[in-house]
Every structure is written in structure tokens, then in C-alpha cells.
Amino acid sequence: MSKANAHFHILSEQSICIAIGGISRSGKTFLSKMLNEQIPESIIIHQDEHIPDQDIIPRINQHIDWETPLAIDWDSFGEAIAQAKNAYKFVFVEGLFVYYKPELNKYYDRKVFITISEKEFMNRKHNDLRWGREPEWYIKHIWEGHQRFGKLPEQFTDALMIDGEMDFNVEEIIQQLEILK
């Protein structure tokens, strides 16, 4: 169903910002795109598009360390979220560290967290060749970085937890988020 043919009705006149977190290759971008296609007046803010100059991102074993919050331009990311909330009805914010900064968490009206097992993560990362084959030590570093910086804060007991090893049912997810009817 396209946005133009959506049969949903917006429940609120205010913008609704939905954060989608989880480890690399868990399905954050995929789910964001699915929701964006179904929901009118929506936009996706990808955390990956808000990076500082690579010269200031730390390195580990001569490799850029993308698995640290220092690899995000937090000012740019926060500004993009604020601008989107003023311009769109629905804002999907997705990224590895989407819940890392408490000052940004205030923007999120709904929270989603996608989980996958370490075994599934390793399998998906080994098959992800977008940037060439990553060394085994770095794939393990990604998992460890997620455990350290990317987890859902404990106070977010209202987050929708999604098993990223199962197919996403976008209609069911929309209902569970209670944003359209």
C-alpha cells in the first residue's frame, strides 16, 4: 500500500517521533522504510547520515571505529530530528545509538527496539559485504560496542520490542505503536 492509498487516519494533530534502535543488521533501516512507505506525511532520520569529520572519529587497529558514540555528530542529528518534527506528521529516527543521548530521548514519543541474537548478528555481518569483508575482530568489536552503547535504557519499559529474526508485520507494528487506526 502506498502513502497515497493509505487507509489509516492520524490520531494526533501533533507530530509523532518514533525511535528505532538495535544492533547493526537488525533491521532498523528496513523497518523504517516499511513504515515510511505505509504512513503519510512521514520522514526517516538516519543516524548514519550524521557523522563528524572522519579525522576526529577514533580508530581501533587502524580502522575507523564506527561503533562509538564519538562517530555521531550529535548536534547535527538533534537538529535534524527537531526540524523534522516541525515539518512532518511522523518522524522515524533510526540508528545504533538512537537512545544513547538522554537529551535526544525527549523527542521520542514511541520507542522501538529490534533484537537479534549474537549468532544471527555474526551471520548477517559475515554476509554484509557493502564495505568489503570486515575482519573478525572488528565484527566482535561491533557486538561489544552495541552491548556497551546501543542498548535500550532500562527506564524505557514502554518500548515495543521486536524480534529481528522474524519477518516484520508492518500493519501489526503500526497497531502496536498506536499511531494510526
Side-chain angles (χ1 to χ4, degrees):
M1 171 187 312
S2 70
K3 288 184 188 184
N5 296 3
H7 63 274
F8 301 114
H9 300 285
I10 297 169
L11 291 179
S12 170
E13 291 303 314
Q14 298 177 337
S15 70
I16 296 176
C17 186
I18 301 155
I20 302 173
I23 193 165
S24 176
R25 308 308 302 155
S26 62
K28 299 176 304 296
T29 301
F30 181 68
L31 176 59
S32 298
K33 288 179 179 178
M34 288 175 64
L35 291 167
N36 182 251
E37 289 172 4
Q38 293 287 320
I39 297 177
E41 300 181 60
S42 66
I43 189 172
I44 304 170
I45 305 298
H46 302 280
Q47 191 174 54
D48 288 349
E49 294 176 359
H50 300 276
I51 59 172
D53 186 318
Q54 289 187 17
D55 293 341
I56 64 172
I57 299 174
R59 294 191 177 269
I60 180 168
N61 296 337
Q62 306 306 318
H63 195 289
I64 294 176
D65 188 1
W66 298 109
E67 310 314 313
T68 172
L70 297 173
I72 305 298
D73 179 340
W74 293 103
D75 291 337
S76 169
F77 187 54
E79 175 98 5
I81 296 168
Q83 288 178 359
K85 281 187 65 91
N86 287 324
Y88 291 87
K89 196 70 170 159
F90 296 95
V91 179
F92 301 105
V93 180
E94 66 89 15
L96 293 172
F97 306 123
V98 74
Y99 298 112
Y100 181 75
K101 288 279 192 182
E103 58 269 28
L104 295 183
N105 290 337
K106 68 182 179 200
Y107 288 121
Y108 308 145
D109 301 299
R110 307 284 191 286
K111 297 155 202 81
V112 175
F113 197 80
I114 304 173
T115 61
I116 59 174
S117 67
E118 182 176 5
K119 180 180 177 183
E120 181 64 19
F121 163 75
M122 294 294 183
N123 181 49
R124 290 180 185 185
K125 279 309 278 184
H126 283 111
N127 292 320
D128 179 7
L129 303 176
R130 292 176 291 174
W131 301 282
R133 189 162 303 281
E134 294 282 8
E136 186 69 26
W137 68 265
Y138 191 72
I139 293 173
K140 289 179 182 173
H141 176 70
I142 295 169
W143 180 261
E144 291 165 1
H146 169 69
Q147 299 304 312
R148 189 168 170 204
F149 303 117
K151 293 294 217 169
L152 181 72
E154 289 181 12
Q155 70 266 26
F156 293 154
T157 57
D158 60 341
L160 175 59
M161 302 298 289
I162 297 177
D163 183 346
E165 296 181 36
M166 305 294 290
D167 289 339
F168 295 145
N169 179 331
V170 72
E171 287 83 13
E172 184 177 305
I173 292 168
I174 289 170
Q175 286 180 332
Q176 290 175 327
L177 290 172
E178 299 178 346
I179 54 176
L180 303 172
K181 68 174 185 177

